Each structure stands twice: as C-alpha cells, then as structure tokens.
Amino acid sequence: LAKTTQPISMDSYEGQEVNITCSHNNIATNDYITWYQQFPSQGPRFIIQGYKTKVTNEVASLFIPADRKSSTLSLPRVSLSDTAVYYCLVISNSGYALNFGKGTSLLVTP
Amino acid sequence: DTAVSQTPKYLVTQMGNDKSIKCEQNLGHDTMYWYKQDSKKFLKIMFSYNNKELIINETVPNRFSPKSPDKAHLNLHINSLELGDSAVYFCASSQDFSGNQPQHFGDGTRLSIL
C-alpha cells in the first residue's frame, strides 16, 4: 500500500479557500487517489477521487500533477461546518480495504 | 433512510463479557467492512466480506468473529472483552471490492470496557 503524508493540522478563516496537499511518492500505476472527510462522532465520508489531472465535484476539487506523486484537495470558501479531519488515501484498483493515516485536522474559525 | 446503520451506538460493558454489534446496509452493496478507530484516531481495517464471503482478515484476535447472514448484514461478535478493545468500531460498505468504489460508513459504535 502506498504511504501518504499530509499535514497534521491546518487553520483557516471562513470564506477562504483551503488547499490540503498529500504526498504519495510510491504510488503505483493502477492506484487511485481518494479523499475522505470525518466529523466528530461520525464515520468517514467520501469526498472525491481521481487518477490524474483535475477532478471537480460540488464539494471540492482534486489536483493531481503529471507524476502523481502528490495531490491537492481544494475546498472553496470554507465554512465553519467544514471543520473536520481530512484523509488522503491511495487505493489500488485491484482492490483492498482503505488504509487511513493520521489525516489533516482542519479548523475553520469565524 | 440511513444507508449504513449500526447498533448499538454506545456499548458499555465489563471485561470478560461477550457482546455483539450489528450492521445493516440498504444500498444493495456486495462488500462490507469492519474498521476499528482507537484513541489516537487511527482507523484500521479488521474484516471485509464480499457476497457473504470473508476476503480480508487482518491481524485481529480470534475473540473477534464476524458473521454475514446475507449481503446486507455484517455483524461483529466479540468474546471475552478486554480493556484494549475499547474503541469506536465502524461498519462500511461498497458496491464491490474494487478499490475505486467509494465506501459508505456508519456512524460507529463506541465500545467502552470497564
């Protein structure tokens, strides 16, 4: 399983754009990059997944450079309710359960 | 309708007891999982079932026994509970076992051993 490295914590003010970068230097050819969000007392929730370049949905954008050794989750105009832990995972398409690291604890303040 | 539901939400019991946690998903998924999140917030896979067949069994004490009566249910039975079993246990499901399918998690069962 590809190991991921992401910041332990980040702070932001409401209304700002937040970018969380994840390093995955030993990502394999058939691996996908996936992000989950976890609020206190809840299970993780899928946010976005990508293989290369850019993916965008109603919640976030995911930027993946050509070498795929890193990825950046972008949250536009965060609100207080975006305070959560964000996990970056690298998953093989051949299938395996999720390997959660420590995640990035994002705190959004007024 | 809750997609993945676990019961009970909280479980407080004494060392040595046997307890069960139930999980049901109404998403029509083929694959279900049990994860354990410890006090340091690390979330680790314990078991995975695909179409009622065990496909992942991580290094978990054999006091933990999963059972899948059908594709929609994956229950976790724990014998002779120990202090170190205190954690939050999450059930999850996905369409199938391929890695690019999102997993849907329940809200967890907080197990406290006295």
Side-chain angles (χ1 to χ4, degrees), chain B residues 23-41:
Chain B
C23 179
E24 176 181 6
Q25 54 96 1
N26 62 4
L27 297 168
H29 288 170
D30 287 343
T31 309
M32 295 186 72
Y33 311 80
W34 276 109
Y35 289 84
K36 178 181 179 181
Q37 188 166 41
D38 59 24
S39 57
K40 295 182 179 179
K41 302 301 183 184

Side-chain angles (χ1 to χ4, degrees), chain B residues 7-81:
Chain B
T7 54
K9 190 172 178 65
Y10 299 96
L11 187 52
V12 181
T13 189
Q14 292 188 329
M15 263 197 317
N17 285 349
D18 303 338
K19 290 294 179 184
S20 292
I21 307 172
K22 295 185 177 181
C23 179
E24 176 181 6
Q25 54 96 1
N26 62 4
L27 297 168
H29 288 170
D30 287 343
T31 309
M32 295 186 72
Y33 311 80
W34 276 109
Y35 289 84
K36 178 181 179 181
Q37 188 166 41
D38 59 24
S39 57
K40 295 182 179 179
K41 302 301 183 184
F42 285 113
L43 194 62
K44 295 182 180 179
I45 183 69
M46 299 174 68
F47 302 102
S48 177
Y49 272 70
N50 189 53
N51 281 318
K52 302 192 299 176
E53 297 295 323
L54 179 66
I55 53 174
I56 293 175
N57 184 354
E58 290 295 305
T59 308
V60 176
N62 58 14
R63 298 182 294 105
F64 291 79
S65 53
K67 285 190 178 176
S68 182
D70 55 58
K71 281 196 328 182
H73 296 84
L74 181 61
N75 304 321
L76 183 65
H77 188 76
I78 316 170
N79 289 326
S80 303
L81 281 158

Side-chain angles (χ1 to χ4, degrees), chain A residues 32 34 36 38 41-46 49 87 91-102, chain B residues 9 33 35 37 41-43 45 56 58 90 97-108 110:
Chain A
Y32 285 80
T34 308
Y36 280 76
Q38 186 176 22
S41 302
Q42 292 186 24
R45 183 174 72 101
F46 172 85
Q49 178 173 266
Y87 295 96
I91 305 169
S92 168
N93 189 39
S94 60
Y96 202 83
L98 302 180
N99 182 24
F100 286 84
K102 295 181 181 180
Chain B
K9 190 172 178 65
Y33 311 80
Y35 289 84
Q37 188 166 41
K41 302 301 183 184
F42 285 113
L43 194 62
I45 183 69
I56 293 175
E58 290 295 305
F90 288 100
F97 192 50
S98 60
N100 63 349
Q101 290 294 329
Q103 291 190 17
H104 299 255
F105 285 77
D107 284 338
R110 184 174 296 276

